[in-house]
PDB file of all heavy atoms in Angstrom:
ATOM      1  N   GLU E  20     -18.648 -20.834  11.137  1.00 66.00           N
ATOM      2  CA  GLU E  20     -18.610 -20.116  12.396  1.00 66.00           C
ATOM      3  C   GLU E  20     -17.831 -18.819  12.341  1.00 66.00           C
ATOM      4  O   GLU E  20     -18.292 -17.808  12.894  1.00 66.00           O
ATOM      5  CB  GLU E  20     -17.985 -21.034  13.530  1.00 66.00           C
ATOM      6  CG  GLU E  20     -18.803 -22.248  13.828  1.00 66.00           C
ATOM      7  CD  GLU E  20     -18.077 -23.175  14.883  1.00 66.00           C
ATOM      8  OE1 GLU E  20     -17.842 -22.645  15.918  1.00 66.00           O
ATOM      9  OE2 GLU E  20     -17.870 -24.260  14.455  1.00 66.00           O
ATOM     10  N   LEU E  21     -16.674 -18.786  11.687  1.00 63.00           N
ATOM     11  CA  LEU E  21     -15.842 -17.593  11.553  1.00 63.00           C
ATOM     12  C   LEU E  21     -16.605 -16.536  10.733  1.00 63.00           C
ATOM     13  O   LEU E  21     -16.553 -15.326  11.081  1.00 63.00           O
ATOM     14  CB  LEU E  21     -14.454 -17.917  11.025  1.00 63.00           C
ATOM     15  CG  LEU E  21     -13.536 -18.561  12.012  1.00 63.00           C
ATOM     16  CD1 LEU E  21     -12.248 -19.067  11.267  1.00 63.00           C
ATOM     17  CD2 LEU E  21     -13.118 -17.616  13.128  1.00 63.00           C
ATOM     18  N   ALA E  24     -19.211 -14.935  12.756  1.00 62.00           N
ATOM     19  CA  ALA E  24     -18.586 -13.962  13.836  1.00 62.00           C
ATOM     20  C   ALA E  24     -18.200 -12.737  13.118  1.00 62.00           C
ATOM     21  O   ALA E  24     -18.436 -11.624  13.764  1.00 62.00           O
ATOM     22  CB  ALA E  24     -17.342 -14.724  14.502  1.00 62.00           C
ATOM     23  N   VAL E  25     -17.590 -12.846  11.993  1.00 55.00           N
ATOM     24  CA  VAL E  25     -17.181 -11.545  11.273  1.00 55.00           C
ATOM     25  C   VAL E  25     -18.357 -10.786  10.899  1.00 55.00           C
ATOM     26  O   VAL E  25     -18.501  -9.597  11.033  1.00 55.00           O
ATOM     27  CB  VAL E  25     -16.344 -11.993   9.983  1.00 55.00           C
ATOM     28  CG1 VAL E  25     -16.098 -10.706   9.139  1.00 55.00           C
ATOM     29  CG2 VAL E  25     -15.053 -12.538  10.428  1.00 55.00           C
ATOM     30  N   GLU E  28     -19.791  -9.088  13.826  1.00 49.00           N
ATOM     31  CA  GLU E  28     -18.804  -8.135  14.426  1.00 49.00           C
ATOM     32  C   GLU E  28     -18.536  -8.465  15.916  1.00 49.00           C
ATOM     33  O   GLU E  28     -18.250  -7.614  16.706  1.00 49.00           O
ATOM     34  CB  GLU E  28     -19.188  -6.729  14.205  1.00 49.00           C
ATOM     35  CG  GLU E  28     -19.231  -6.269  12.749  1.00 49.00           C
ATOM     36  CD  GLU E  28     -19.550  -4.796  12.654  1.00 49.00           C
ATOM     37  OE1 GLU E  28     -19.248  -4.028  13.515  1.00 49.00           O
ATOM     38  OE2 GLU E  28     -20.048  -4.370  11.577  1.00 49.00           O
ATOM     39  N   GLU E  29     -18.625  -9.823  16.291  1.00 51.00           N
ATOM     40  CA  GLU E  29     -18.260 -10.200  17.618  1.00 51.00           C
ATOM     41  C   GLU E  29     -16.625 -10.241  17.607  1.00 51.00           C
ATOM     42  O   GLU E  29     -16.040 -10.084  16.589  1.00 51.00           O
ATOM     43  CB  GLU E  29     -18.625 -11.664  17.721  1.00 51.00           C
ATOM     44  CG  GLU E  29     -20.096 -11.850  17.962  1.00 51.00           C
ATOM     45  CD  GLU E  29     -20.431 -13.301  18.141  1.00 51.00           C
ATOM     46  OE1 GLU E  29     -19.609 -14.101  18.564  1.00 51.00           O
ATOM     47  OE2 GLU E  29     -21.550 -13.713  17.898  1.00 51.00           O
ATOM     48  N   ALA E  30     -16.171 -10.267  18.772  1.00 54.00           N
ATOM     49  CA  ALA E  30     -14.628 -10.366  18.945  1.00 54.00           C
ATOM     50  C   ALA E  30     -14.312 -11.871  18.483  1.00 54.00           C
ATOM     51  O   ALA E  30     -14.543 -12.771  19.222  1.00 54.00           O
ATOM     52  CB  ALA E  30     -14.268 -10.188  20.395  1.00 54.00           C
ATOM     53  N   PRO E  31     -13.660 -11.970  17.334  1.00 52.00           N
ATOM     54  CA  PRO E  31     -13.365 -13.294  16.753  1.00 52.00           C
ATOM     55  C   PRO E  31     -12.472 -14.072  17.682  1.00 52.00           C
ATOM     56  O   PRO E  31     -12.524 -15.224  17.719  1.00 52.00           O
ATOM     57  CB  PRO E  31     -12.784 -13.053  15.464  1.00 52.00           C
ATOM     58  CG  PRO E  31     -12.659 -11.642  15.164  1.00 52.00           C
ATOM     59  CD  PRO E  31     -13.288 -10.853  16.397  1.00 52.00           C
ATOM     60  N   SER E  32     -11.551 -13.345  18.439  1.00 53.00           N
ATOM     61  CA  SER E  32     -10.632 -14.170  19.312  1.00 53.00           C
ATOM     62  C   SER E  32     -11.351 -14.821  20.393  1.00 53.00           C
ATOM     63  O   SER E  32     -10.820 -15.795  20.986  1.00 53.00           O
ATOM     64  CB  SER E  32      -9.609 -13.195  19.788  1.00 53.00           C
ATOM     65  OG  SER E  32     -10.144 -12.163  20.496  1.00 53.00           O
ATOM     66  N   ALA E  33     -12.533 -14.371  20.810  1.00 56.00           N
ATOM     67  CA  ALA E  33     -13.295 -14.935  21.857  1.00 56.00           C
ATOM     68  C   ALA E  33     -13.794 -16.349  21.391  1.00 56.00           C
ATOM     69  O   ALA E  33     -14.114 -17.237  22.156  1.00 56.00           O
ATOM     70  CB  ALA E  33     -14.423 -14.041  22.312  1.00 56.00           C
ATOM     71  N   LEU E  34     -13.882 -16.533  20.130  1.00 52.00           N
ATOM     72  CA  LEU E  34     -14.320 -17.813  19.499  1.00 52.00           C
ATOM     73  C   LEU E  34     -13.281 -18.874  19.470  1.00 52.00           C
ATOM     74  O   LEU E  34     -13.593 -20.116  19.302  1.00 52.00           O
ATOM     75  CB  LEU E  34     -14.799 -17.593  18.074  1.00 52.00           C
ATOM     76  CG  LEU E  34     -16.203 -16.851  17.936  1.00 52.00           C
ATOM     77  CD1 LEU E  34     -16.437 -16.620  16.489  1.00 52.00           C
ATOM     78  CD2 LEU E  34     -17.253 -17.713  18.494  1.00 52.00           C
ATOM     79  N   ALA E  35     -12.086 -18.564  19.718  1.00 51.00           N
ATOM     80  CA  ALA E  35     -10.909 -19.519  19.466  1.00 51.00           C
ATOM     81  C   ALA E  35     -11.212 -20.827  20.163  1.00 51.00           C
ATOM     82  O   ALA E  35     -10.943 -21.913  19.557  1.00 51.00           O
ATOM     83  CB  ALA E  35      -9.649 -18.872  19.979  1.00 51.00           C
ATOM     84  N   SER E  36     -11.632 -20.818  21.448  1.00 52.00           N
ATOM     85  CA  SER E  36     -11.842 -22.125  22.193  1.00 52.00           C
ATOM     86  C   SER E  36     -13.122 -22.730  21.863  1.00 52.00           C
ATOM     87  O   SER E  36     -13.317 -23.941  22.143  1.00 52.00           O
ATOM     88  CB  SER E  36     -11.626 -21.781  23.673  1.00 52.00           C
ATOM     89  OG  SER E  36     -12.601 -20.932  24.049  1.00 52.00           O
ATOM     90  N   GLU E  37     -14.039 -21.974  21.277  1.00 56.00           N
ATOM     91  CA  GLU E  37     -15.467 -22.548  21.083  1.00 56.00           C
ATOM     92  C   GLU E  37     -15.621 -23.150  19.715  1.00 56.00           C
ATOM     93  O   GLU E  37     -16.641 -23.719  19.448  1.00 56.00           O
ATOM     94  CB  GLU E  37     -16.471 -21.430  21.281  1.00 56.00           C
ATOM     95  CG  GLU E  37     -16.468 -20.780  22.641  1.00 56.00           C
ATOM     96  CD  GLU E  37     -17.415 -19.582  22.734  1.00 56.00           C
ATOM     97  OE1 GLU E  37     -18.229 -19.467  21.875  1.00 56.00           O
ATOM     98  OE2 GLU E  37     -17.212 -18.817  23.629  1.00 56.00           O
ATOM     99  N   LEU E  38     -14.624 -23.008  18.820  1.00 54.00           N
ATOM    100  CA  LEU E  38     -14.751 -23.602  17.520  1.00 54.00           C
ATOM    101  C   LEU E  38     -14.779 -25.045  17.498  1.00 54.00           C
ATOM    102  O   LEU E  38     -14.286 -25.749  18.394  1.00 54.00           O
ATOM    103  CB  LEU E  38     -13.639 -23.094  16.624  1.00 54.00           C
ATOM    104  CG  LEU E  38     -13.642 -21.614  16.301  1.00 54.00           C
ATOM    105  CD1 LEU E  38     -12.315 -21.209  15.618  1.00 54.00           C
ATOM    106  CD2 LEU E  38     -14.790 -21.217  15.378  1.00 54.00           C
ATOM    107  N   GLU E  43      -5.717 -21.441  18.057  1.00 69.00           N
ATOM    108  CA  GLU E  43      -5.069 -20.418  18.823  1.00 69.00           C
ATOM    109  C   GLU E  43      -5.679 -19.084  18.423  1.00 69.00           C
ATOM    110  O   GLU E  43      -6.172 -18.893  17.329  1.00 69.00           O
ATOM    111  CB  GLU E  43      -3.578 -20.353  18.626  1.00 69.00           C
ATOM    112  CG  GLU E  43      -2.906 -21.667  19.138  1.00 69.00           C
ATOM    113  CD  GLU E  43      -2.896 -21.831  20.573  1.00 69.00           C
ATOM    114  OE1 GLU E  43      -2.829 -20.862  21.274  1.00 69.00           O
ATOM    115  OE2 GLU E  43      -3.001 -23.016  21.019  1.00 69.00           O
ATOM    116  N   LYS E  44      -5.657 -18.074  19.402  1.00 71.00           N
ATOM    117  CA  LYS E  44      -6.184 -16.729  19.110  1.00 71.00           C
ATOM    118  C   LYS E  44      -5.473 -16.163  17.901  1.00 71.00           C
ATOM    119  O   LYS E  44      -6.199 -15.502  16.906  1.00 71.00           O
ATOM    120  CB  LYS E  44      -5.888 -15.794  20.266  1.00 71.00           C
ATOM    121  CG  LYS E  44      -6.329 -14.396  20.064  1.00 71.00           C
ATOM    122  CD  LYS E  44      -5.804 -13.493  21.093  1.00 71.00           C
ATOM    123  CE  LYS E  44      -6.082 -12.094  20.873  1.00 71.00           C
ATOM    124  NZ  LYS E  44      -5.842 -11.452  19.504  1.00 71.00           N
ATOM    125  N   VAL E  47      -6.950 -17.608  14.694  1.00 71.00           N
ATOM    126  CA  VAL E  47      -8.310 -17.092  14.406  1.00 71.00           C
ATOM    127  C   VAL E  47      -8.179 -15.681  13.795  1.00 71.00           C
ATOM    128  O   VAL E  47      -8.855 -15.348  12.833  1.00 71.00           O
ATOM    129  CB  VAL E  47      -9.128 -17.096  15.723  1.00 71.00           C
ATOM    130  CG1 VAL E  47     -10.506 -16.368  15.442  1.00 71.00           C
ATOM    131  CG2 VAL E  47      -9.396 -18.457  16.152  1.00 71.00           C
ATOM    132  N   ASP E  48      -7.344 -14.826  14.372  1.00 75.00           N
ATOM    133  CA  ASP E  48      -7.074 -13.489  13.918  1.00 75.00           C
ATOM    134  C   ASP E  48      -6.679 -13.507  12.401  1.00 75.00           C
ATOM    135  O   ASP E  48      -7.119 -12.705  11.630  1.00 75.00           O
ATOM    136  CB  ASP E  48      -6.183 -12.678  14.685  1.00 75.00           C
ATOM    137  CG  ASP E  48      -6.645 -12.413  16.078  1.00 75.00           C
ATOM    138  OD1 ASP E  48      -7.880 -12.437  16.294  1.00 75.00           O
ATOM    139  OD2 ASP E  48      -5.868 -12.098  16.974  1.00 75.00           O
ATOM    140  N   VAL E  49      -5.736 -14.389  12.077  1.00 77.00           N
ATOM    141  CA  VAL E  49      -5.296 -14.509  10.629  1.00 77.00           C
ATOM    142  C   VAL E  49      -6.460 -14.958   9.691  1.00 77.00           C
ATOM    143  O   VAL E  49      -6.595 -14.412   8.692  1.00 77.00           O
ATOM    144  CB  VAL E  49      -4.110 -15.542  10.566  1.00 77.00           C
ATOM    145  CG1 VAL E  49      -3.792 -15.861   9.146  1.00 77.00           C
ATOM    146  CG2 VAL E  49      -2.899 -14.939  11.284  1.00 77.00           C
ATOM    147  N   VAL E  50      -7.138 -15.934  10.173  1.00 75.00           N
ATOM    148  CA  VAL E  50      -8.292 -16.425   9.335  1.00 75.00           C
ATOM    149  C   VAL E  50      -9.309 -15.387   9.194  1.00 75.00           C
ATOM    150  O   VAL E  50      -9.822 -15.149   7.985  1.00 75.00           O
ATOM    151  CB  VAL E  50      -8.932 -17.734   9.929  1.00 75.00           C
ATOM    152  CG1 VAL E  50     -10.195 -18.098   9.173  1.00 75.00           C
ATOM    153  CG2 VAL E  50      -7.895 -18.881   9.822  1.00 75.00           C
ATOM    154  N   VAL E  51      -9.690 -14.684  10.222  1.00 74.00           N
ATOM    155  CA  VAL E  51     -10.688 -13.619  10.088  1.00 74.00           C
ATOM    156  C   VAL E  51     -10.196 -12.512   9.238  1.00 74.00           C
ATOM    157  O   VAL E  51     -10.931 -11.990   8.406  1.00 74.00           O
ATOM    158  CB  VAL E  51     -11.113 -13.142  11.559  1.00 74.00           C
ATOM    159  CG1 VAL E  51     -11.801 -11.827  11.456  1.00 74.00           C
ATOM    160  CG2 VAL E  51     -11.807 -14.130  12.296  1.00 74.00           C
ATOM    161  N   GLY E  52      -8.956 -12.099   9.320  1.00 73.00           N
ATOM    162  CA  GLY E  52      -8.343 -11.093   8.459  1.00 73.00           C
ATOM    163  C   GLY E  52      -8.451 -11.472   7.065  1.00 73.00           C
ATOM    164  O   GLY E  52      -8.730 -10.670   6.186  1.00 73.00           O
ATOM    165  N   GLN E  55     -11.999 -11.186   5.790  1.00 73.00           N
ATOM    166  CA  GLN E  55     -12.375  -9.771   5.641  1.00 73.00           C
ATOM    167  C   GLN E  55     -11.728  -9.077   4.410  1.00 73.00           C
ATOM    168  O   GLN E  55     -12.195  -8.051   4.003  1.00 73.00           O
ATOM    169  CB  GLN E  55     -12.036  -8.973   6.850  1.00 73.00           C
ATOM    170  CG  GLN E  55     -12.913  -9.299   8.054  1.00 73.00           C
ATOM    171  CD  GLN E  55     -12.470  -8.551   9.393  1.00 73.00           C
ATOM    172  OE1 GLN E  55     -11.293  -8.099   9.419  1.00 73.00           O
ATOM    173  NE2 GLN E  55     -13.332  -8.446  10.274  1.00 73.00           N
TER     174      GLN E  55
END
Side-chain angles (χ1 to χ4, degrees):
E20 290 176 63
L21 285 171
V25 170
E28 295 185 25
E29 289 180 22
S32 58
L34 286 174
S36 60
E37 299 173 19
L38 291 172
E43 296 291 324
K44 177 194 173 312
V47 172
D48 292 342
V49 168
V50 171
V51 169
Q55 289 176 336

